[in-house]
Amino acid sequence: MNRSSSPSKDRFLELGASMKLLVHLLKRYIYSGRLTLSLGCNGQRLTLATMPKSNTLPLPEKTLIGICQMTSTADKKANLATCTSLVESAAKKGAQMVYLPECSDYLCEAKSDTISQAESLDGDTVAHFMNLAKEHNVWLSVGGIHEKGSSADADRVYITHLIINSSGHVVSVYRKLHLFSVDIKGGVRLRESDVAIPGKDILLPVQTPVGKVGMAICYDLRFPEMSLILRSMGADVLTYPSAFTLTTGMAHWEVLLRARAIETQCYVVAAAQMGRHGKKRASYGHAMVREMIPVMEHRRTDLYGVLTANSSPDGDREVYMFGTHPINASHVFYRSTHSFAFVNRKPVVPGHVLVAPLRAAEKFRDLTSAEVCDMFSAAQTIERQLSNHHSATSATIAVQDGADAGQTVNHVHVHILPRKPGDFQHNDDIYEKLENHDKRENQEHRWRTDSDMAAEASVLRDLFACKAST
């Protein structure tokens, strides 16, 4: 690990009696050479770290990441300016991925202010981060923004973690599962559930230039089950963007990060808020990673089973991502733990649909064994129902993996086409049709309207008895 230099004493934030312990920790772990720590200077710091090549995890050698630390306030414009400065600095130094902390957009003391400043994912704040990633050609982990809730829950928000690729596209959206609640006598009182809506799903790790990143936020750190599930899904890196309170941070932050790293053998990246945000709130944080012991290989799953995550229908989701293409939830008719299926905008035959993993994996080899099993199980279930529904006598099931296989979207997927006698003059004609059916210059069939696609998906949802995100 590269390690940051220790700031001079006169630039430390005043932490009162806690300062002595903090300096002790700083010296101890920087001198050990095993950790990367950041201590805020005027509320802002960029730490660069290299992830060494691993014998057990498929990470590239000497991949540089940027871990950003800041002190957010209620001033959204100023906070975004700070984020911009940190990302620009990291990009200039060669970082391939930059991590920002929870509440990167703002941190207010009053609930009304928190609600009023929240935006939807198509708002200006997310657009700012998308442009920032594209402009500087870096991946971003935007560790926590306040996402506007649904109309049915307009007085609360989601705390949402985004991963944005270097092309400026949002590739994964995680909403905080565990909501913090603490009431320390004579100290801090904070109940996130008063202002935040809990998320519903543990997401599959995202393939990035620094490995497969498992997404979490702050208080999720206290739940080892979640980190073990992410590891079992193939995570190389666990990220916990945080705004830990000063009291709990001094007591638990270090040991919790180390515990999650040791038990999963994943790298841990924890971009954090630091310092005083206002009269009522102060944050604490630094980052660290684990060393290598093959603990995952030693787990006795024959005795206590394999941890898996159940995926809810996620009824308030509006968009699924198919590569960089958003798929309206009204076009999705089936969802399993790791996969989703949606109707085709230009079907080759009636009933032609697609099945894809929820995680945007470009190649078949990028899928975990759990994702492979789930995708083919879903394809089998869907083919059986569609063939019955369309009175088909056969079916073509084709996996598209790469451009030479006819793939036009960088997201491995399965085409399912119910077949009837005579639908093609020669059987192999179907592959030419598949290769060219979605080309815009192909005017043989016009693009279907959104309403036509939604109508078909609605029929299929009833067919599968599946409430898939409408």
Side-chain angles (χ1 to χ4, degrees):
M1 298 295 296
N2 288 353
R3 51 189 189 264
S4 57
S5 59
S6 178
S8 58
K9 287 185 178 180
D10 61 348
R11 300 178 71 194
F12 287 140
L13 296 176
E14 181 57 44
L15 299 180
S18 303
M19 191 63 202
K20 187 174 182 180
L21 174 59
L22 188 58
V23 171
H24 170 72
L25 290 174
L26 182 67
K27 289 180 178 178
R28 176 185 172 192
Y29 291 107
I30 283 184
Y31 293 160
S32 75
R34 293 184 292 117
L35 313 176
T36 298
L37 307 186
S38 258
L39 184 60
C41 176
N42 296 325
Q44 179 178 336
R45 177 164 289 280
L46 168 68
T47 299
L48 296 175
T50 54
M51 290 187 170
K53 188 173 182 179
S54 162
N55 292 325
T56 58
L57 300 179
L59 297 181
E61 189 170 4
K62 294 185 179 179
T63 300
L64 193 68
I65 64 171
I67 307 169
C68 300
Q69 186 171 281
M70 60 189 293
T71 307
S72 289
T73 67
D75 188 340
K76 185 190 294 187
K77 184 177 180 180
N79 298 330
L80 293 182
T82 297
C83 292
T84 299
S85 174
L86 288 166
V87 172
E88 288 177 347
S89 178
K92 288 178 181 178
K93 296 178 188 300
Q96 295 186 45
M97 188 163 185
V98 183
Y99 294 79
L100 292 163
E102 185 182 22
C103 302
S104 296
D105 51 355
Y106 59 87
L107 208 162
C108 302
E109 294 186 348
K111 176 181 177 179
S112 58
D113 294 334
T114 299
I115 302 302
S116 66
Q117 291 202 63
E119 300 176 22
S120 62
L121 296 184
D122 59 0
D124 292 341
T125 296
V126 175
H128 175 86
F129 286 115
M130 292 169 68
N131 292 333
L132 196 59
K134 184 176 182 179
E135 178 183 355
H136 296 287
N137 193 34
V138 294
W139 283 61
L140 290 183
S141 163
V142 184
I145 63 169
H146 297 84
E147 179 191 354
K148 185 180 294 185
S150 65
S151 56
D153 205 348
D155 63 341
R156 293 193 298 169
V157 299
Y158 291 104
I159 301 173
T160 301
H161 181 175
L162 307 174
I163 289 185
I164 303 172
N165 67 18
S166 56
S167 298
H169 298 291
V170 175
V171 296
S172 194
V173 178
Y174 166 75
R175 296 175 176 98
K176 190 174 185 177
L177 288 177
H178 303 97
L179 300 182
F180 182 57
S181 179
V182 66
D183 191 353
I184 300 174
K185 187 175 181 180
V188 67
R189 182 185 186 278
L190 179 62
R191 292 180 55 86
E192 278 188 330
S193 58
D194 292 342
V195 71
I197 309 166
K200 297 181 179 179
D201 289 312
I202 298 173
L203 301 186
L204 288 164
V206 181
Q207 183 66 61
T208 77
V210 301
K212 293 180 180 178
V213 176
M215 301 168 72
I217 302 175
C218 199
Y219 192 52
D220 292 331
L221 175 62
R222 293 186 180 273
F223 300 89
E225 298 88 349
M226 183 175 180
S227 64
L228 291 170
I229 287 172
L230 287 169
R231 181 67 177 96
S232 72
M233 289 176 167
D236 306 318
V237 181
L238 301 178
T239 182
Y240 295 99
S242 297
F244 246 61
T245 65
L246 184 59
T247 304
T248 57
M250 291 297 293
H252 301 148
W253 172 259
E254 175 208 349
V255 69
L256 286 171
L257 285 173
R258 289 171 66 84
R260 299 296 82 82
I262 292 167
E263 70 199 3
T264 63
Q265 295 298 283
C266 286
Y267 293 94
V268 169
V269 179
Q273 293 281 345
M274 177 93 182
R276 184 157 294 280
H277 309 283
K279 295 180 180 179
K280 300 179 180 178
R281 181 80 182 266
S283 294
Y284 169 95
H286 59 257
M288 58 180 67
V289 296
R290 66 88 176 94
E291 294 188 28
M292 306 279 284
I293 303 173
V295 175
M296 294 302 294
E297 298 175 15
H298 301 158
R299 294 193 179 279
R300 290 295 304 274
T301 55
D302 57 322
L303 298 179
Y304 42 73
V306 177
L307 289 170
T308 59
N310 292 321
S311 185
S312 73
D314 205 8
D316 57 357
R317 178 181 283 202
E318 297 178 357
V319 170
Y320 289 76
M321 293 306 298
F322 182 46
T324 59
H325 300 270
I327 302 297
N328 193 300
S330 65
H331 302 165
V332 175
F333 64 88
Y334 184 92
R335 176 170 170 183
S336 57
T337 301
H338 300 305
S339 310
F340 72 109
F342 54 100
V343 299
N344 208 315
R345 194 163 189 177
K346 192 182 282 188
V348 172
V349 295
H352 175 192
V353 301
L354 294 92
V355 183
L358 286 164
R359 181 173 62 86
E362 182 175 348
K363 306 285 286 183
F364 184 76
R365 63 173 175 261
D366 295 332
L367 299 176
T368 66
S369 58
E371 290 173 302
V372 171
C373 292
D374 185 83
M375 186 172 70
F376 281 111
S377 177
Q380 183 183 53
T381 299
I382 292 165
E383 183 279 322
R384 183 186 300 117
Q385 291 284 21
L386 286 180
S387 291
N388 290 336
H389 182 66
H390 290 279
S391 300
T393 56
S394 304
T396 293
I397 302 172
V399 179
Q400 289 198 335
D401 180 352
D404 295 332
Q407 185 189 78
T408 56
V409 176
N410 293 332
H411 189 144
V412 64
H413 55 280
V414 178
H415 287 266
I416 300 178
L417 300 93
R419 299 286 300 276
K420 295 180 180 179
D423 53 8
F424 295 99
Q425 184 175 359
H426 302 288
N427 182 60
D428 286 351
D429 291 348
I430 191 171
Y431 299 107
E432 181 181 355
K433 293 287 187 181
L434 273 176
E435 183 178 1
N436 297 303
H437 79 107
D438 58 352
K439 302 291 193 301
R440 289 194 175 273
E441 60 269 21
N442 178 10
Q443 298 300 320
E444 183 179 346
H445 300 292
R446 300 183 63 183
W447 296 98
R448 294 203 293 167
T449 65
D450 285 345
S451 59
D452 286 343
M453 296 170 68
E456 181 186 3
S458 178
V459 170
L460 295 181
R461 274 194 296 275
D462 291 339
L463 182 67
F464 287 92
C466 176
K467 306 297 183 181
S469 295
T470 55

